[in-house]
Amino acid sequence: AQILRSNGTLRTLKLTDNCMGRHGLLALADAVRHARPPLDEVLMGNLGISSCEEIYAFLRALRDFSAPLRVLDIHGNPLCVADASAPPEPELAAGAVPPSLRALAELCDWISAAGNRISVLNLREVMREELPPEAHQQAVRMLCAAVGHEHCVLRELNVHGFGFKPPSVKMLAVAIRQCPSPLETLVLSRWPIPVSKLVDASGRLTFGGANGCEEDVVLVAHLLGEGGG
């Protein structure tokens, strides 16, 4: 982190599977904020952290100097987490974001901001702990709203393990159709779904493979029903 503080030319940061812990990631966030490198690609999955506050701090650091980020991979980190040891979250006003979703809210605000360049986003297994049902529903709504926003430019999205169920998959399908720059591929379960071109030139529809799931079928059915093809 200290070396990075003086590096203002870094474009790719690869940290996946490095057990950085809380203090390591917070130090890195401070270094990035200081150096302001023109980061295009950040790969930082499975960093060995236990709360969403570290990811929030790192995302804020990147946004503080408008990093021109195109690829962000934060799989396996607790973007949405309920801390069983923390006191119950206070009752919030309607629409307010609970602390357990603060990092997700920051990310959703970024990918729906005018001028953002994030086109590849990996959110696989970012919800390690079981959230209360109300918080989980809010997380799904926040992500779907960001995906369907007019400024969203996502082309690849992985939400395996985010907790989408058949009832909420329809919300995601509507968001995909609303996005002015529609997704090309989406991983909802295990297999990439070519959501921008479900039916190939020969008229063949293929998705899922041996490990396809009910959620994949529901998503494809809604996209086809709304004119996907």
Side-chain angles (χ1 to χ4, degrees):
Q2 291 304 313
I3 295 174
L4 180 58
R5 286 176 68 90
S6 60
N7 189 327
T9 61
L10 187 68
R11 299 189 62 86
T12 300
L13 186 60
K14 296 183 178 181
L15 300 170
T16 295
D17 294 327
N18 281 282
C19 190
M20 300 184 64
R22 171 180 173 80
H23 296 293
L25 188 51
L26 292 178
L28 183 64
D30 182 65
V32 165
R33 184 181 288 107
H34 184 273
R36 305 170 65 89
L39 284 168
D40 176 76
E41 187 175 13
V42 171
L43 309 176
M44 47 185 294
N46 293 323
L47 297 183
I49 56 178
S50 58
S51 82
C52 59
E53 287 305 304
E54 295 89 347
I55 293 294
Y56 172 79
F58 191 80
L59 293 175
R60 271 296 350 147
L62 292 174
R63 295 195 72 187
D64 281 348
F65 67 92
S66 302
L69 206 61
R70 182 182 56 84
V71 177
L72 178 61
D73 181 350
I74 54 175
H75 76 269
N77 294 305
L79 186 67
C80 305
V81 59
D83 186 353
S85 64
E89 294 179 346
E91 185 172 345
L92 301 171
V97 176
S100 57
L101 300 183
R102 189 161 76 136
L104 175 64
E106 184 67 30
L107 178 60
C108 289
D109 185 66
W110 192 355
I111 65 175
S112 60
N116 94 87
R117 299 175 63 243
I118 300 177
S119 60
V120 179
L121 180 60
N122 188 349
L123 299 180
R124 177 168 57 88
E125 303 292 353
V126 296
M127 205 175 291
R128 288 193 214 157
E129 305 292 339
E130 190 67 32
L131 287 174
E134 299 79 8
H136 183 261
Q137 291 170 13
Q138 186 175 4
V140 168
R141 289 195 300 269
M142 287 165 54
L143 182 60
C144 289
V147 169
H149 196 277
E150 61 179 329
H151 296 311
C152 181
V153 294
L154 286 176
R155 293 290 181 178
E156 299 178 23
L157 175 63
N158 188 328
V159 291
H160 171 57
F162 197 85
F164 279 97
K165 303 298 182 184
S168 57
V169 165
K170 181 177 181 181
M171 190 186 312
L172 182 59
V174 171
I176 291 171
R177 283 298 169 208
Q178 287 178 341
C179 186
S181 184
L183 286 171
E184 293 175 359
T185 58
L186 170 72
V187 178
L188 186 60
S189 178
R190 291 181 176 84
W191 290 82
I193 300 174
V195 292
S196 65
K197 193 65 177 177
L198 292 171
V199 181
D200 65 21
S202 66
R204 181 175 55 189
L205 170 66
T206 304
F207 69 95
N211 291 318
C213 65
E214 182 181 7
E215 288 75 22
D216 287 347
V217 177
V218 171
L219 177 73
V220 170
H222 280 301
L223 291 176
L224 288 173
E226 295 169 11

mmCIF file of all heavy atoms in Angstrom, residues 4 17-18 24 36 40 56 65 74 101 111 131 145 166 197:
data_model
loop_
_atom_site.group_PDB
_atom_site.id
_atom_site.type_symbol
_atom_site.label_atom_id
_atom_site.label_comp_id
_atom_site.label_asym_id
_atom_site.label_seq_id
_atom_site.Cartn_x
_atom_site.Cartn_y
_atom_site.Cartn_z
ATOM 1 N N LEU A 4 2.226 1.919 -3.417
ATOM 2 C CA LEU A 4 1.182 2.398 -4.314
ATOM 3 C C LEU A 4 0.913 3.890 -4.133
ATOM 4 O O LEU A 4 0.511 4.577 -5.076
ATOM 5 C CB LEU A 4 -0.113 1.607 -4.072
ATOM 6 C CG LEU A 4 -1.332 1.974 -4.929
ATOM 7 C CD1 LEU A 4 -1.013 1.813 -6.413
ATOM 8 C CD2 LEU A 4 -2.515 1.090 -4.550
ATOM 9 N N ASP A 17 -7.801 -13.370 -4.085
ATOM 10 C CA ASP A 17 -7.323 -14.466 -3.246
ATOM 11 C C ASP A 17 -6.134 -14.088 -2.369
ATOM 12 O O ASP A 17 -5.416 -14.965 -1.873
ATOM 13 C CB ASP A 17 -6.972 -15.700 -4.092
ATOM 14 C CG ASP A 17 -8.195 -16.302 -4.767
ATOM 15 O OD1 ASP A 17 -9.290 -16.228 -4.174
ATOM 16 O OD2 ASP A 17 -8.070 -16.826 -5.884
ATOM 17 N N ASN A 18 -5.925 -12.793 -2.164
ATOM 18 C CA ASN A 18 -4.941 -12.331 -1.187
ATOM 19 C C ASN A 18 -5.682 -11.981 0.104
ATOM 20 O O ASN A 18 -6.598 -11.159 0.094
ATOM 21 C CB ASN A 18 -4.205 -11.089 -1.693
ATOM 22 C CG ASN A 18 -3.122 -11.434 -2.695
ATOM 23 O OD1 ASN A 18 -2.050 -11.883 -2.320
ATOM 24 N ND2 ASN A 18 -3.414 -11.245 -3.971
ATOM 25 N N GLY A 24 -5.469 -4.119 5.998
ATOM 26 C CA GLY A 24 -4.794 -4.085 4.708
ATOM 27 C C GLY A 24 -5.609 -3.377 3.642
ATOM 28 O O GLY A 24 -5.087 -2.550 2.882
ATOM 29 N N ARG A 36 -4.152 8.418 -6.760
ATOM 30 C CA ARG A 36 -5.092 8.722 -7.850
ATOM 31 C C ARG A 36 -4.666 8.075 -9.175
ATOM 32 O O ARG A 36 -4.597 8.747 -10.220
ATOM 33 C CB ARG A 36 -5.230 10.235 -8.021
ATOM 34 C CG ARG A 36 -5.636 10.969 -6.773
ATOM 35 C CD ARG A 36 -5.526 12.475 -6.927
ATOM 36 N NE ARG A 36 -6.454 12.988 -7.924
ATOM 37 C CZ ARG A 36 -7.693 13.371 -7.665
ATOM 38 N NH1 ARG A 36 -8.155 13.311 -6.428
ATOM 39 N NH2 ARG A 36 -8.473 13.819 -8.617
ATOM 40 N N ASP A 40 -8.174 1.094 -14.597
ATOM 41 C CA ASP A 40 -9.149 0.634 -15.573
ATOM 42 C C ASP A 40 -9.760 -0.692 -15.146
ATOM 43 O O ASP A 40 -10.902 -0.992 -15.468
ATOM 44 C CB ASP A 40 -8.462 0.486 -16.934
ATOM 45 C CG ASP A 40 -9.371 -0.092 -17.997
ATOM 46 O OD1 ASP A 40 -10.235 0.666 -18.488
ATOM 47 O OD2 ASP A 40 -9.234 -1.284 -18.338
ATOM 48 N N TYR A 56 -16.797 -0.701 1.167
ATOM 49 C CA TYR A 56 -17.351 0.647 1.040
ATOM 50 C C TYR A 56 -16.233 1.687 0.999
ATOM 51 O O TYR A 56 -16.229 2.588 0.155
ATOM 52 C CB TYR A 56 -18.299 0.943 2.205
ATOM 53 C CG TYR A 56 -18.757 2.385 2.249
ATOM 54 C CD1 TYR A 56 -19.765 2.833 1.397
ATOM 55 C CD2 TYR A 56 -18.167 3.300 3.122
ATOM 56 C CE1 TYR A 56 -20.173 4.158 1.422
ATOM 57 C CE2 TYR A 56 -18.569 4.624 3.150
ATOM 58 C CZ TYR A 56 -19.570 5.045 2.293
ATOM 59 O OH TYR A 56 -19.963 6.367 2.302
ATOM 60 N N PHE A 65 -11.713 10.234 -6.620
ATOM 61 C CA PHE A 65 -10.909 10.860 -7.677
ATOM 62 C C PHE A 65 -11.374 10.425 -9.071
ATOM 63 O O PHE A 65 -10.643 10.543 -10.055
ATOM 64 C CB PHE A 65 -9.414 10.560 -7.495
ATOM 65 C CG PHE A 65 -9.029 9.107 -7.683
ATOM 66 C CD1 PHE A 65 -8.620 8.627 -8.917
ATOM 67 C CD2 PHE A 65 -9.050 8.225 -6.620
ATOM 68 C CE1 PHE A 65 -8.260 7.305 -9.096
ATOM 69 C CE2 PHE A 65 -8.673 6.898 -6.782
ATOM 70 C CZ PHE A 65 -8.276 6.443 -8.024
ATOM 71 N N ILE A 74 -15.368 -8.041 -7.383
ATOM 72 C CA ILE A 74 -15.283 -8.083 -5.919
ATOM 73 C C ILE A 74 -15.950 -9.346 -5.379
ATOM 74 O O ILE A 74 -16.462 -9.371 -4.273
ATOM 75 C CB ILE A 74 -15.906 -6.825 -5.272
ATOM 76 C CG1 ILE A 74 -17.342 -6.618 -5.753
ATOM 77 C CG2 ILE A 74 -15.066 -5.600 -5.558
ATOM 78 C CD1 ILE A 74 -18.033 -5.455 -5.055
ATOM 79 N N LEU A 101 -26.224 -2.503 3.977
ATOM 80 C CA LEU A 101 -26.311 -2.353 2.523
ATOM 81 C C LEU A 101 -25.563 -1.115 2.025
ATOM 82 O O LEU A 101 -25.686 -0.748 0.859
ATOM 83 C CB LEU A 101 -27.777 -2.259 2.082
ATOM 84 C CG LEU A 101 -28.685 -3.444 2.409
ATOM 85 C CD1 LEU A 101 -30.076 -3.218 1.839
ATOM 86 C CD2 LEU A 101 -28.091 -4.749 1.881
ATOM 87 N N ILE A 111 -22.654 2.697 -10.653
ATOM 88 C CA ILE A 111 -22.952 2.138 -11.970
ATOM 89 C C ILE A 111 -24.163 2.805 -12.626
ATOM 90 O O ILE A 111 -24.439 2.569 -13.806
ATOM 91 C CB ILE A 111 -23.157 0.605 -11.912
ATOM 92 C CG1 ILE A 111 -24.393 0.245 -11.091
ATOM 93 C CG2 ILE A 111 -21.920 -0.078 -11.375
ATOM 94 C CD1 ILE A 111 -24.713 -1.249 -11.112
ATOM 95 N N LEU A 131 -29.276 -12.163 5.140
ATOM 96 C CA LEU A 131 -29.844 -10.878 5.536
ATOM 97 C C LEU A 131 -31.292 -11.070 5.988
ATOM 98 O O LEU A 131 -31.966 -12.004 5.555
ATOM 99 C CB LEU A 131 -29.834 -9.909 4.352
ATOM 100 C CG LEU A 131 -28.497 -9.314 3.910
ATOM 101 C CD1 LEU A 131 -28.702 -8.501 2.646
ATOM 102 C CD2 LEU A 131 -27.897 -8.444 4.986
ATOM 103 N N ALA A 145 -32.692 -1.578 -9.878
ATOM 104 C CA ALA A 145 -32.865 -0.183 -10.275
ATOM 105 C C ALA A 145 -31.604 0.343 -10.944
ATOM 106 O O ALA A 145 -31.673 1.098 -11.934
ATOM 107 C CB ALA A 145 -33.211 0.665 -9.054
ATOM 108 N N PRO A 166 -37.299 -16.924 -7.984
ATOM 109 C CA PRO A 166 -38.219 -16.710 -9.104
ATOM 110 C C PRO A 166 -39.050 -15.430 -9.019
ATOM 111 O O PRO A 166 -39.170 -14.722 -10.026
ATOM 112 C CB PRO A 166 -39.093 -17.971 -9.069
ATOM 113 C CG PRO A 166 -38.146 -19.032 -8.595
ATOM 114 C CD PRO A 166 -37.283 -18.347 -7.564
ATOM 115 N N LYS A 197 -28.972 -11.695 -26.811
ATOM 116 C CA LYS A 197 -29.239 -12.491 -28.014
ATOM 117 C C LYS A 197 -29.557 -13.915 -27.580
ATOM 118 O O LYS A 197 -28.743 -14.835 -27.729
ATOM 119 C CB LYS A 197 -28.024 -12.477 -28.949
ATOM 120 C CG LYS A 197 -28.314 -12.998 -30.344
ATOM 121 C CD LYS A 197 -29.298 -12.095 -31.078
ATOM 122 C CE LYS A 197 -29.523 -12.608 -32.503
ATOM 123 N NZ LYS A 197 -30.537 -11.782 -33.224
#
